[in-house]
Amino acid sequence: MTANNDNTTWSGRSVTCTAPINIAVIKYWGKRDEQLILPTNSSLSASLDQDHLKSTTTASISKEFKRDRLWLNGKEESIENPRIQNCLIEIRRRARKRKHNDDSKSEMLNWSVHICSENNFPTAAGLASSAAGYACLVYTLSKLYDINGDVSDIARRGSGSACRSIYGGFVQWTVGEKKNGSDSIAKVVADVDHWPEMRVLVLVVSDQKKHTSSTNGMRNSVNTSDFLRYRAEHVVPSRMEEMIKAIEEKDYQKFAELTIKDSNQMHAVCLDTYPPISYMNDTSRKIINMIHAFNKYQGELKVAYTYDAGPNAVLYLLDEHVPDVVSLINYYFPPCDNIRETFIRGLKVDFKTDISQ
Ligand code: ADP
Ligand code: DP6
Ligand code: CO
């Protein structure tokens, strides 16, 4: 996109933001409402730092633009994508609700928008691109249209997990009770500085597009898995309380045990789906076995694994154990230049230019 410098004919505004991926330790797997994206259970994740895995989105409005357009990773995509539309419509509705005394600003609401987004990591490979991508889209649009207040419910309409990437630190997405989803929003459980020793290692087992998208996979699970209902009703509510307590008390042993069990349970629900869904491969399973053997040898939990809808492992561990665990992985899985270490951090606005004069 290039800006025409002729200020007499051109006016517009452009905002660029970045957003992190988040990796859940209590997993979201199942929707009770597909349209509003309301989950069958609450979930909890940490938003990671943005040095390695992030989305960057620029949104611009201009009088000169003829229609809304969207580019993803350098390629034009259809702006008619229903999830993009759901976010855009809700953003514009909220922007209209805000009373603009300034006429020039309310006029901007009728202009078309151009959105350009890039992920610096594989898209749709089970590394939470939809979370970073939609959080970034909604956050950027909210800045573009001067919308204040929580926008996690809008990000949720793009991709469920995206609502958690709106905030930094440990973030819970509450299941909510209301039909309109107004209480199914993201809330910070512990802020970014709460547990500074916590580290995350992302082990990229495969950067290929997954065979079954999260959306389709969880839809099949909701339709066919009895275990999913059992998990939502009888496991997650108490597990969530325990997890929040473990985070608040920085109790790594409890945190690690719950993280491992919840990942395994989500993948067990996938296997209970008919036909079964299997996101892990042999390498994923080898990593699991290696970690259990290592923890056993150490006499306590030194590292916890979790898997999203893909074969890639994400490890949560304390900083003092990073060197040992990296050596272990390098020993069993050489060469291993695919390890990315990240700190838990949050969403930030990278820069913002306002050229609407
Ligand atoms: P992942 O495991 O990467 O989250 P999903 O199947 O959940 O995979 O979602 C992938 C989809 O998310 C992509 O096909 C695309 O529609 C959307 N997406 C990913 N990144 C972005 C982005 N930066 N902006 C908008 N949409 C995105
Ligand atoms: C396994 O948020 O990608 O990563 O809401 O259909 O877009 P949609 O699904 P998505 O599902 C994420 C599933 C998960 C677990 C999690 O992040 O909690
Ligand atoms: Co996703």
Side-chain angles (χ1 to χ4, degrees), residues 15 41 61 77 92 179 186 201 251 294 312 333 344 355:
V15 176
N41 61 264
I61 37 175
E77 304 260 330
R92 282 177 167 151
K179 268 199 135 176
L201 297 180
D251 177 352
F294 176 72
N312 301 310
F333 301 95
I344 295 178
I355 44 173

Side-chain angles (χ1 to χ4, degrees), residues 128-131 159 161 210 214:
S129 71
S130 66
S159 175
S161 54
K210 59 180 108 166
S214 304

